[in-house]
Amino acid sequence: AARADSQRQGCRGRTSPTMSLPSLDDLLGPSPQPDPEEEPPQPKRVRRHCAGDYTAHVYAPLTFGRSSRELRGLIKVVTKKLEDASGVRAHPVLASDSTGEKEDEGRVVLDSWHVSLSRVATLRPSQLDTFSHELKRQFQSQFEPFSVLFEDLLVLANEDDSTCFVCIGVRDKPSGHLDHLVDRADRVYKRHGLREYFAEKERRHHLSLAWAPGEGKEALRGAVSRLGEDGEVLRAMRALREAGAAKVEGVRWKIG
């Protein structure tokens, strides 16, 4: 059966008991730990939240057949190297502890590490029921798990360039599965007058590793291109790829 879950969390704290999903802060990046000497920057949302509105996001969490140690190792190496090379501090999306990591019969399921299948959109209260119903209808059919392979590092930005993300590109195997899931989510977005995901030729399927203020985007891009020949980064990338592919075993969405 399709592993499609939904959660509704209103402004007054109504929460469905059926599942637990990451907050909007997980989608845009965590609040960095406070520094007693300097107040760290905060990730910025593209849209200001208005009372009575809800945000929605459709995504595919990744499941690791082995420990996620190799991915954590890559993040540690990359964030340190990038700060040295660019002067921009990139904050890991997932903290160094086990926050967001769920053990499930030997697999490691990471909600915070996911591949986005839609934009983060704003819903009116009158749209909630039909939006949830349409998503369930799109994803209720039998789901066939597939693998995603890790590619190169890249830097992407949110829609208004207020926040940028250090990412690792992913591609599905067999190809076409991720685009098919995006197309399904797009049908629901379109019916509700919401902005669809990027056109297929413009999509860069990715896993976000760290975030930084948007003004650091170009400096980080330059640093990432130079890290392509760094021995320590190459070893960390090779270890990640040799650890095996991650899997997509279902689709989830967050409404809250």
Side-chain angles (χ1 to χ4, degrees):
R3 292 185 56 189
D5 299 313
S6 64
Q7 178 188 43
R8 181 181 301 173
Q9 183 172 344
C11 295
R12 296 184 180 179
R14 292 183 299 145
T15 304
S16 169
T18 57
M19 69 174 296
S20 175
L21 286 173
S23 67
L24 182 59
D25 288 336
D26 288 325
L27 306 177
L28 299 178
S31 299
Q33 294 298 316
D35 188 322
E37 298 180 357
E38 180 181 359
E39 184 67 23
Q42 298 289 328
K44 298 178 182 179
R45 293 178 172 84
V46 174
R47 298 171 180 82
R48 179 178 297 176
H49 181 77
C50 299
D53 286 344
Y54 297 77
T55 54
H57 181 243
V58 184
Y59 65 98
L62 296 184
T63 299
F64 293 77
R66 292 170 52 181
S67 168
S68 59
R69 179 181 58 191
E70 289 81 6
L71 186 53
R72 294 181 188 277
L74 175 65
I75 293 173
K76 184 177 180 180
V77 170
V78 166
T79 52
K80 177 63 167 63
K81 294 276 186 178
L82 285 178
E83 184 171 0
D84 291 343
S86 68
V88 178
R89 184 180 180 187
H91 306 271
V93 167
L94 192 62
S96 58
D97 59 21
S98 60
T99 303
E101 184 170 303
K102 304 173 185 177
E103 292 285 350
D104 181 11
E105 298 180 354
R107 301 169 304 149
V108 180
V109 184
L110 291 158
D111 265 353
S112 294
W113 284 340
H114 61 263
V115 178
S116 291
L117 303 175
S118 76
R119 300 178 189 265
V120 176
T122 301
L123 293 174
R124 298 186 300 274
S126 60
Q127 296 176 304
L128 292 177
D129 289 339
T130 57
F131 187 82
S132 297
H133 173 77
E134 288 294 325
L135 283 176
K136 290 177 182 177
R137 193 167 69 87
Q138 287 294 332
F139 296 109
Q140 69 183 356
S141 59
Q142 181 70 30
F143 190 94
E144 296 184 8
F146 59 91
S147 299
V148 294
L149 303 176
F150 298 106
E151 298 191 309
D152 296 328
L153 295 172
L154 64 156
V155 177
L156 301 174
N158 62 358
E159 294 177 44
D160 66 354
D161 277 343
S162 61
T163 305
C164 61
F165 298 87
V166 180
C167 312
I168 185 167
V170 300
R171 62 180 174 88
D172 44 10
K173 183 181 179 180
S175 63
H177 283 282
L178 286 172
D179 285 332
H180 180 61
L181 296 178
V182 169
D183 291 342
R184 289 189 182 189
D186 271 351
R187 293 171 195 162
V188 179
Y189 269 55
K190 186 175 182 179
R191 289 172 184 170
H192 290 78
L194 304 175
R195 191 178 180 190
E196 299 163 72
Y197 203 53
F198 301 96
E200 186 171 341
K201 63 181 180 180
E202 299 174 349
R203 292 174 192 166
R204 301 292 301 273
H205 294 300
H206 62 277
L207 170 65
S208 295
L209 306 180
W211 70 271
E215 55 265 26
K217 180 181 67 175
E218 294 305 324
L220 285 173
R221 283 180 172 169
V224 163
S225 66
R226 295 191 293 274
L227 288 185
E229 299 179 357
D230 183 275
E232 191 174 1
V233 173
L234 290 174
R235 287 191 295 272
M237 292 284 287
R238 184 166 57 249
L240 174 62
R241 288 166 177 155
E242 290 176 352
K247 283 192 174 182
V248 172
E249 298 183 332
V251 174
R252 296 181 181 178
W253 52 87
K254 194 253 183 206
I255 303 175

